[in-house]
Amino acid sequence: MNVAFDHLVHLTERPEQAKTAFEQWGFTAIHGGRHPSWGTYNALCCFEHLRYIEWIGIADEQTAKTCGNPLIDQLVADRQEGNGFSQFAFRTNNIGAVAAHLKRNGFTPIGPLPGSRERDDGKRLTWSMLFIEDDTDGAFRYPFFIQWGDGDDVRMNELAPLMHHRIGASSLSSIGVYTLDLRRAIDAYRRLFGLPVPRFGRDEAGAYAELAVGGIALCFYEADHRPSTRPFLCRLVGMQEQRRIEIDGGTYIVSRP
């Protein structure tokens, strides 16, 4: 399946505060916009290869609870646990082919579902989202898939200025994810993406199994001490400085190349 990593979703009560904090650390970040049909709004920080962090907040709880979008349903559920990373998405230029791939490999696709928002300059951004029906019994989370209305070349041209940061050239390189059943999660992701066996390692967060998907590393950690299946760690590389940033329930590790 030909996909590229697109973005990491960070649930926070105040996306504008996360944006300001990242700007103070030397990153370029912007206000995104509102999603009236979902009851949410966001702010963004972009990196090389069209990868980005989306800080998303719920502005209208009633709309969020009833909109029927699986991502927003997940955010509403995660809100009970608190701020932090919630989901991540992979980009495709053929969402129909991804849906067919899912069916062939025993998954049940949900969608594609439409999405849109209006930028500050008046341009209306559109996209389609594809989800996977949850058959995990709560052991781990599937990602979702997105196809943008504009092609990668158009988006690269528009977003290029936002990928330059005072702290240095940067790339989102890996995501750490909790799972309650490591073997089951790895088996499902290998089947989902057609991947070889994982690489095993250990770091400051514990032992993990790593799969390379869409240009980044997904590192799965058994949640022995915390009953969670949420992403919890994001690594950013290529910076001039090295630091650990804790913000709104999410951990960002910033390192040199």
Side-chain angles (χ1 to χ4, degrees):
M1 181 166 46
N2 185 22
V3 297
F5 182 81
D6 195 71
H7 69 282
L8 173 65
V9 180
H10 188 160
L11 172 65
T12 173
E13 294 298 313
R14 300 289 183 183
E16 62 275 17
Q17 291 182 358
K19 168 188 173 294
T20 298
F22 259 61
E23 288 174 330
Q24 292 172 345
W25 286 314
F27 293 94
T28 301
I30 61 167
H31 291 294
R34 293 188 174 271
H35 316 108
S37 61
W38 297 346
T40 58
Y41 71 109
N42 64 9
L44 311 171
C45 187
C46 299
F47 301 95
E48 293 178 348
H49 311 296
L50 292 175
R51 302 168 192 165
Y52 70 96
I53 296 164
E54 176 186 25
W55 298 293
I56 189 167
I58 296 175
D60 182 339
E61 189 165 357
Q62 184 58 33
T63 299
K65 286 180 176 179
T66 58
C67 70
N69 182 285
L71 172 60
I72 309 306
D73 290 344
Q74 185 71 71
L75 295 176
V76 170
D78 284 345
R79 200 181 192 195
Q80 306 308 308
E81 182 182 325
N83 292 334
F85 302 134
S86 179
Q87 260 292 5
F88 48 91
F90 290 90
R91 185 172 67 255
T92 176
N93 60 10
N94 191 339
I95 207 162
V98 173
H101 169 88
L102 295 179
K103 291 178 181 178
R104 285 195 304 271
N105 287 275
F107 299 95
T108 302
I110 300 173
L113 304 176
S116 67
R117 70 172 174 85
E118 188 171 301
R119 290 195 321 208
D120 289 343
D121 63 5
K123 179 175 178 176
R124 185 170 179 265
L125 299 179
T126 63
W127 60 86
S128 296
M129 307 167 77
L130 185 71
F131 300 90
I132 302 172
E133 185 176 285
D134 187 3
D135 59 1
T136 69
D137 302 317
F140 59 94
R141 295 185 183 187
Y142 291 122
F144 67 97
F145 302 91
I146 188 167
Q147 180 173 350
W148 291 92
D150 289 330
D152 285 359
D153 54 345
V154 173
R155 296 183 65 240
M156 183 69 75
N157 184 59
E158 292 187 345
L159 297 175
L162 305 179
M163 299 178 195
H164 296 287
H165 306 275
R166 295 197 318 274
I167 197 172
S170 57
S171 178
L172 194 159
S173 65
S174 71
I175 294 173
V177 185
Y178 281 130
T179 172
L180 304 183
D181 189 330
L182 183 61
R183 177 175 292 180
R184 188 175 174 189
I186 291 299
D187 288 348
Y189 270 72
R190 289 184 63 200
R191 179 163 56 95
L192 175 60
F193 291 103
L195 300 174
V197 296
R199 182 181 76 86
F200 293 94
R202 178 177 289 275
D203 59 18
E204 68 275 13
Y208 63 85
E210 177 185 310
L211 294 172
V213 186
I216 71 160
L218 296 179
C219 299
F220 293 86
Y221 299 76
E222 195 105 48
D224 296 328
H225 62 290
R226 180 183 177 187
S228 175
T229 59
R230 297 172 70 165
F232 70 97
L233 180 66
C234 175
R235 293 186 183 274
L236 305 170
V237 299
M239 312 301 186
Q240 298 168 1
E241 301 179 20
Q242 192 160 331
R243 62 177 64 183
R244 180 187 183 97
I245 299 171
E246 304 276 355
I247 183 169
D248 289 345
T251 299
Y252 297 88
I253 303 294
V254 177
S255 62
R256 298 182 179 89

